[in-house]
């Protein structure tokens, strides 16, 4: 049975949460293509599941007819169904785009098997930036919506999932074939998937989650019918990053906690994005704040610095391959090599790096200090939890190339905060706020 808060109950929960935070969730995305990185260093058998409550596999593709298709048959089948049994599977099986056949895989080694053995729920995400072009047309067509909902039920059974995540980037976004009708059609799409999962719940006797990822900018939020959508979802995964990047004319933070000193766009910070959701009436208990376990690089016109003129290009020399979005372990390695000077921005509450000896290389990223502060922000605002993009970026080797994992420091910092192992909420987060639900209200409110 789905659970909903009445406004009165929500008020009581909000008041109680001021004195005692509920248990927070740590949700992590695992992109299938990262399986190949560092000689398959981070895979289902090597993940430290104690750091997470939910893992979400990203991504499966949405086809034009509403059906679901794999994005990489080799990786997706080996991960979602377990290692392929080459003695049983046809020769073309690892390149065929079908969703897979469990009979041709080694039993007990699905990604979901590892997760469930460690009491972690496991979902699959449909969409993502590269696979969202068909969402608008599918959401507008009843037959295609029904096909997607049916395929969601199918993959829940096939991969032994605990639910579905929808990552439509983005409803109402013209550059991605979106339009104004997406607002209503997204609600119809989520409603149909929710109904399909509810029916499946009754058959399998366990609850299935439905979550969705959303852009954090005010413009992206305008295209969502929040009063309806919030009732259909178990979790709102707020992609609170990519606020600024190498495309901007001035260097700035990828994911500032608070508005930056020279914020060029209103709402481009984690705290503002969360407040916007609360203002839309989304319950704090359903909001998962996105944490970026990656950074962004920019080449500057002169010596690197914060808020200086940018050449609007990433640093492809220092960071080859992933220059635009280097992962945390790679950034940490460059710092250890002595290539950068470290700085802390007291306004945005975020770190950044500048190239040594005047090198025009600027790096915006999150480290253990800023990630812990965001986790404390989540607790102070009584949010549901944190959602990580992506968990593989956090796995540090004892020495680069050793193939031996020394730890996952960013996820460990979140875990320590949520478990109460960190000091009290710092003063920078202690500002009192009052949020009224529903919002807007009439001219007066009685409590």
């Amino acid at each position: 049975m789905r659970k909903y808060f009445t406004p009165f109950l929500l008020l009581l929960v909000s008041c109680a949460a001021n004195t005692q935070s509920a248990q927070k969730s740590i949700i992590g995305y695992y992109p299938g293509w990262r399986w190949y990185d560092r000689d398959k260093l981070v895979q289902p058998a090597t993940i430290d599941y104690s750091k997470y409550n939910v893992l979400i596999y990203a991504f499966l593709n949405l086809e034009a007819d509403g059906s679901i298709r794999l994005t990489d048959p080799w990786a997706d089948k080996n991960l979602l169904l377990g290692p392929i049994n080459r003695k049983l599977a046809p020769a073309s099986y690892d390149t065929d785009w079908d969703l897979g056949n469990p009979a041709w895989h080694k039993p007990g080694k699905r990604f979901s098997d590892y997760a469930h053995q460690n009491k972690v729920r496991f979902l699959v995400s449909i969409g993502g930036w590269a696979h969202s072009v068909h969402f608008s047309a599918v959401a507008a067509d009843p037959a295609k919506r029904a096909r997607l909902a049916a395929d969601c039920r199918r993959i829940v059974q096939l991969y032994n999932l605990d639910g579905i995540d929808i990552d439509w980037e983005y409803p109402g976004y013209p550059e991605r074939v979106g339009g104004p009708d997406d607002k209503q059609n997204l609600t119809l799409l989520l409603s149909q998937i929710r109904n399909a999962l509810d029916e499946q719940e009754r058959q399998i006797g366990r609850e299935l989650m439905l979550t969705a990822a959303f852009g954090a900018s005010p413009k992206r939020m305008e295209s969502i019918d929040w009063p309806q959508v919030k009732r259909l979802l178990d979790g709102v995964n707020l992609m609170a990053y990519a606020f600024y990047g190498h495309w901007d004319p001035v260097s700035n933070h990828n994911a500032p906690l608070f508005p930056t000193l020279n914020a060029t766009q209103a709402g481009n910070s984690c705290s503002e994005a969360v407040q916007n959701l609360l203002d839309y009436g989304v319950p704090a208990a359903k909001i998962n704040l996105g944490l970026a376990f990656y950074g962004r690089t920019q080449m500057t016109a002169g010596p690197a610095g914060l808020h200086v003129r940018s050449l609007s290009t990433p640093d492809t020399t220092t960071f080859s391959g992933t220059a635009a979005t280097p992962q945390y372990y790679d950034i940490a390695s460059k710092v250890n090599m002595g290539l950068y000077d470290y700085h802390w921005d007291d306004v945005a509450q975020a770190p950044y790096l500048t190239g040594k000896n005047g090198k025009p290389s600027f790096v915006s990223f999150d480290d253990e200090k800023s990630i812990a502060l965001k986790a404390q922000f989540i607790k102070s605002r009584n949010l549901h939890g944190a959602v990580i993009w992506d968990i593989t970026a956090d796995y540090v080797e004892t020495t680069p190339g050793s193939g031996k994992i020394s730890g996952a420091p960013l996820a460990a910092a979140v875990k320590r905060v949520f478990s109460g192992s960190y000091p009290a909420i710092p003063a920078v987060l202690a500002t009192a706020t009052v949020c009224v639900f529903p919002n807007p209200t009439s001219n007066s409110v009685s409590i």
Side-chain angles (χ1 to χ4, degrees), residues 70 73-74 76-78 81-86 88-105 158-159:
L70 304 180
W74 175 246
D76 294 341
K77 288 178 178 178
N78 273 283
L81 289 170
I84 297 173
N85 189 329
R86 309 293 289 182
L88 299 177
S92 64
Y93 178 66
D94 56 13
T95 58
D96 291 338
W97 295 97
D98 64 288
L99 294 173
N101 184 343
W104 296 336
H105 293 258
L158 183 63
Y159 305 136

Side-chain angles (χ1 to χ4, degrees), residues 355-437:
K356 282 193 178 285
N357 303 318
K359 181 181 178 181
S361 178
F362 173 84
V363 181
S364 167
F365 75 116
D366 274 288
D367 61 3
E368 291 181 63
K369 178 180 177 181
S370 63
I371 286 293
L373 191 63
K374 287 180 178 178
Q376 290 173 310
F377 174 85
I378 289 167
K379 289 183 68 173
S380 71
R381 299 322 190 251
N382 303 311
L383 307 184
H384 179 262
V387 58
I388 298 163
W389 183 270
D390 71 80
I391 69 166
T392 69
D394 186 31
Y395 282 81
V396 178
E397 294 175 271
T398 51
T399 57
S402 67
K404 297 180 179 179
I405 297 172
S406 64
L410 300 187
V414 179
K415 185 79 172 181
R416 286 195 298 271
V417 172
F418 286 177
S419 65
S421 301
Y422 257 62
I425 300 297
V428 71
L429 300 179
T431 304
T433 59
V434 176
C435 298
V436 180
F437 178 81

Side-chain angles (χ1 to χ4, degrees), residues 108-277:
K109 296 185 178 298
R110 295 174 297 187
F111 207 145
S112 60
D113 293 331
Y114 285 98
H116 292 159
Q117 288 164 12
N118 289 277
K119 296 180 172 54
V120 172
R121 287 186 284 184
F122 186 73
L123 282 66
V124 160
S125 185
I126 301 164
W129 177 255
H131 311 288
S132 288
V133 292
H134 298 306
F135 265 112
S136 186
V138 169
D141 187 311
K144 294 178 180 180
R145 290 198 303 267
R147 186 173 291 114
L148 173 57
D151 268 9
C152 285
R153 291 190 58 182
R154 180 184 174 193
I155 65 172
V156 164
Q157 184 73 21
L158 183 63
Y159 305 136
N160 195 24
L161 305 179
D162 298 294
I164 297 292
D165 178 71
I166 298 296
D167 188 353
W168 177 353
E169 301 185 21
Y170 300 98
Y173 190 39
E175 289 84 348
R176 304 290 285 176
V177 205
D181 291 341
D182 291 348
K183 188 170 188 175
Q184 175 185 359
N185 292 336
L186 170 64
T187 301
L188 295 173
L189 180 74
L190 294 176
S191 179
Q192 198 143 0
I193 295 173
R194 181 67 267 171
N195 289 338
L197 295 180
D198 285 347
E199 183 178 344
Q200 195 167 15
E201 283 181 353
R202 291 189 286 271
Q203 295 176 357
I204 63 178
R206 60 187 177 90
E207 190 171 281
L208 297 173
M209 300 173 63
L210 177 60
T211 64
F214 296 95
S217 73
K219 187 67 175 176
R220 300 282 72 83
M221 291 186 187
E222 290 173 2
S223 297
I224 312 298
D225 184 359
W226 291 110
Q228 297 301 320
V229 165
K230 69 183 182 184
R231 292 180 172 86
L232 297 168
L233 296 177
D234 296 293
V236 173
N237 296 337
L238 184 61
M239 294 186 283
Y241 29 75
F243 289 117
Y244 300 97
H246 69 267
W247 55 86
D248 288 301
V250 174
S251 58
N252 217 327
H253 297 289
N254 174 46
L257 178 54
F258 295 116
T260 62
L261 192 62
N262 74 334
T264 57
Q265 299 182 61
N268 272 18
S269 71
C270 298
S271 58
E272 290 172 289
V274 167
Q275 189 58 53
N276 286 338
L277 277 184

Side-chain angles (χ1 to χ4, degrees), residues 38 318-319 326-340 353 356 363 365-367 393-402 409:
R38 296 185 283 174
T318 310
F319 295 92
Q327 294 189 294
Y328 173 73
Y329 72 84
D330 197 11
I331 297 171
S333 174
K334 298 296 189 293
V335 173
N336 291 336
M337 292 167 62
L339 300 181
Y340 287 93
L353 305 174
K356 282 193 178 285
V363 181
F365 75 116
D366 274 288
D367 61 3
D394 186 31
Y395 282 81
V396 178
E397 294 175 271
T398 51
T399 57
S402 67

Side-chain angles (χ1 to χ4, degrees), residues 24-43:
K24 304 302 178 188
S25 287
I26 305 176
I27 303 158
Y29 281 96
Y30 180 99
W33 62 89
R34 296 294 189 197
W35 179 55
Y36 300 105
D37 291 355
R38 296 185 283 174
D39 196 25
K40 299 187 175 70
L41 179 73
V42 186
Q43 55 174 293

